Structure formats: C-alpha cells, structure tokens
C-alpha cells in the first residue's frame, strides 16, 4: 500500500489556502460572516497560515441547530475560518483516498450522486432479473431477483474516531496532518461521532465505510453493490445468499467499525416490488419521488418565487428531477 509522508506543508501553502477560501465562500458571498472575513482577506488568511505552520490552530465551537426537512436532524456548523481549514485539508488528502474508493460509492464525489446511483441500480436490476423477461417483456410473476436494502443505525453519531484515525493513518504517514485531523474530530466529540454539516464529515464518512465496501466487494465477492453514504443495496438472484451476506455484514460492522445495521430499515425485498433508495421509490420500469421529496421541491420553488433563494439553489435540485424524467425511458 502506497503511503504519503511530509504533506502537511501542502495544506498551508498559500495557493491551497486561496483555493480553500474560494471553495468555502462559494454560494455564500452575501453572508455577513463572509463579508466580514473579506474586509481583510489577506490578513485573515495569513493568520490561518501562521496557525497551521506553528500548529497553534484551534477551531471555534460548533454552532448547532435543529433542521426539520421533514426528518428532524441536528446540524452542527463550523465557523467560516474553520471551513477554510477543512477545504484546505480535503484539497490535499481527498485525492489520495479517492483512488481507493470503489466505483459504486456514490455520495459526495465529483461526477456522482443520486442520478449516478439510480442509473447503476437500474443497470444492476436488469442484469439480475433478465430471467424474469418473456419475449423481451418483464413478467412480474417470474422475477427471481432480490435486493438487500440496508441502512446503518445512527451512522454519523456512532463513527468511532480512533478507528477512523487508524484507517487514515494507513495512508497518511504524516504526524502533523494526523494531529490536525484529530483536532477537527475532537471539536465535535473526543471519541465518537462526526457533525452533520461539515465538509470533513462527508469525506471521512466515505473513508470509514470504504472498509465495508472492500469487505462486500472483495471478501463477499458481491457484483451488484451500491452505497450512498450509509444507505446501501446489494442485488442478487438468490435470497439465501443475501440472508447469508446480511449476517456477515452485520458481524463485520459490529466487530471492525463498531456500527449496527438498522433492524427495521435493513430488509431483503423481491425486485418485483418497490425499492426505496436515494430518495426515490424504484420500480422495474419507472420511478417515483418520495412524497417528502415532492414537498421539499415545492417548498424550494415557493422560496424562489418569493426571491428568498437564488437560481443556483434551484439548479442544485435539477439532477433529482432528471431522475424522474429519465425513469420513463427505461
């Protein structure tokens, strides 16, 4: 396994801090805290650079609020200057780990997302259920395929920070970089959990569950596996095989990552039925958005009509609508 040493200086390089600042302010240039930072951008970035160089950087406490969207979630947001540090860190270490991620890890990666996951699901669905077709047409009563639809219970709350650090340490053999990562993690909790709302949490979520990805792909040798953050599906013709794999996955998560499958949300479902995945109700020939997804979209449109949000916010939701339109072409 290739390891990376002496990369800490790259994090505080001026060019990297400028890029991190631009990423952190993207879409937020009108926010008061961004405007305040920009009153003296160079001085503020120089201060961050000095703190990183001298290893005196300390993040500010997270600001926490409750978001009902419609599910109630606790969101913890970092100070703007800390978000710049997060981007600076991820700019350097994300490409290192990106190469190790499996193709069907779909969340928080460039060129991937809901639409990518749905396309892969549809492809796997048709491969597994080809025996359920008669004269080129699908016969619901002849479907032999199944789907293990699984969810990890309280994922972000239960990530073990020591295990995560050890996983990162396999690739990053740089003490100063590891110490910076620990500082970021401890700003939320000393031992367990990562805050919803941090860029680093999104990235670390993929690093942590990359262990599960490799177990399922290489040890269980599953061909039709897709993961989107802590939701994942495995498709197979044989229900018994999925039952066996589910038990193996349950033991692997508990032993290696100290995580648990969500008992109610982890089920084996016949592929002739509806599969709820990445915000859509997936059927064989079409897809429907969840009712809460429709309500969310309607709310965003109303906000745009009242000029409370920008056109960019609408555009961010277009890929989800594209899924609906494309679903009728299969």
């Amino acid at each position: 396994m290739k390891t990376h040493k002496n990369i800490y200086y790259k994090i505080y390089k001026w060019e990297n801090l400028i890029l991190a600042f631009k990423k952190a302010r993207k879409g937020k240039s009108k926010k008061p805290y961004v405007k305040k930072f920009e009153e003296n951008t160079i001085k503020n970035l120089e201060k961050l650079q000095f703190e990183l160089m001298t290893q005196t950087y300390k993040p500010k406490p997270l600001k926490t609020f409750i978001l009902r969207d419609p599910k109630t979630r606790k969101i913890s947001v970092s100070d703007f200057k800390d978000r710049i540090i997060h981007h600076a860190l991820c700019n350097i270490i994300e490409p290192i780990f990106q190469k190790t991620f499996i193709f069907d890890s779909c969340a928080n990666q460039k060129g991937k997302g809901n639409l990518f996951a749905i396309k892969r699901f549809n492809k796997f669905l048709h491969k597994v259920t080809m025996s359920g077709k008669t004269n080129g047409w699908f016969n619901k009563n002849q479907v032999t395929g199944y789907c293990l639809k699984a969810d990890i219970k309280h994922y972000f709350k239960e990530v073990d920070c020591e295990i995560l650090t050890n996983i990162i340490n396999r690739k990053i053999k740089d003490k100063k970089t590891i110490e910076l990562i620990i500082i970021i993690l401890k700003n939320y909790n000393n031992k367990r959990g990562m805050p919803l709302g941090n860029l680093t949490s999104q990235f670390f979520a993929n690093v942590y569950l990359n262990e599960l990805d490799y177990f399922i792909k290489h040890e269980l040798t599953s061909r039709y596996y897709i993961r989107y953050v802590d939701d994942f599906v495995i498709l197979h013709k044989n229900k018994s095989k999925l039952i066996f794999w589910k038990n193996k996955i349950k033991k692997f998560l508990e032993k290696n990552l100290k995580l648990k499958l969500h008992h109610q949300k982890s089920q084996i479902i016949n592929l002739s039925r509806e599969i709820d995945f990445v915000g859509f109700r997936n059927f064989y020939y079409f897809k429907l958005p969840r009712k809460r997804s429709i309500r969310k979209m309607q709310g965003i449109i109303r906000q745009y009509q009242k000029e409370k949000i920008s056109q960019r916010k609408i555009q961010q939701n277009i890929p989800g609508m594209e899924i609906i339109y494309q679903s009728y072409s299969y």
Side-chain angles (χ1 to χ4, degrees), residues 29-192:
S29 58
K30 294 182 180 180
K31 297 286 186 180
Y33 56 80
V34 176
K35 289 181 178 180
K36 184 177 180 180
F37 190 93
E38 289 180 324
E39 288 175 2
N40 204 332
T41 305
I42 300 301
K43 183 179 178 181
N44 287 326
L45 288 178
E46 285 177 344
K47 186 174 184 293
L48 282 179
Q49 185 181 49
F50 178 78
E51 289 176 1
L52 288 171
M53 289 174 67
T54 57
Q55 291 188 276
T56 56
Y57 163 72
K58 291 182 180 179
K60 289 187 176 181
L62 299 167
K63 291 183 179 179
T64 301
F65 61 93
I66 303 299
L67 180 67
R68 292 176 176 83
D69 189 24
K71 188 166 61 174
T72 300
R73 294 178 293 167
K74 187 173 82 169
I75 307 296
S76 299
V77 179
S78 295
D79 186 78
F80 182 65
K81 72 152 190 158
D82 297 323
R83 292 182 225 172
I84 295 173
I85 299 293
H86 297 170
H87 278 284
L89 172 66
C90 288
N91 285 347
I92 304 305
I93 68 171
E94 190 168 1
I96 294 170
F97 285 92
Q98 193 78 40
K99 297 172 185 177
T100 70
F101 294 159
I102 66 167
F103 186 72
D104 289 308
S105 171
C106 304
N108 307 313
Q109 295 186 65
K110 191 174 180 179
K112 296 185 180 180
N114 294 48
L115 179 57
F116 178 86
I118 288 293
K119 285 182 175 179
R120 294 294 287 173
F121 180 85
N122 187 76
K123 181 178 181 178
F124 293 167
L125 171 69
H126 284 75
K127 280 183 174 290
V128 169
T129 60
M130 284 302 290
S131 61
K133 287 189 175 185
T134 305
N135 297 324
W137 186 253
F138 172 69
N139 185 335
K140 182 176 178 179
N141 295 324
Q142 295 180 18
V143 171
T144 57
Y146 296 87
C147 173
L148 168 58
K149 168 69 176 70
D151 178 275
I152 296 172
K153 189 175 182 179
H154 302 149
Y155 175 50
F156 280 86
K157 290 182 182 178
E158 295 299 326
V159 168
D160 186 289
C161 294
E162 185 178 352
I163 293 174
L164 173 60
T165 305
N166 289 337
I167 292 169
I168 295 171
N169 207 22
R170 291 184 212 149
K171 296 287 289 181
I172 307 295
K173 299 296 183 181
D174 186 315
K175 185 180 177 181
K176 291 181 179 179
T177 302
I178 296 297
E179 286 175 353
L180 175 60
I181 290 169
I182 291 171
I183 286 170
I184 292 170
L185 290 171
K186 283 188 175 181
N187 194 37
Y188 178 73
N189 194 305
N190 278 330
K191 294 183 178 180
R192 297 187 80 82

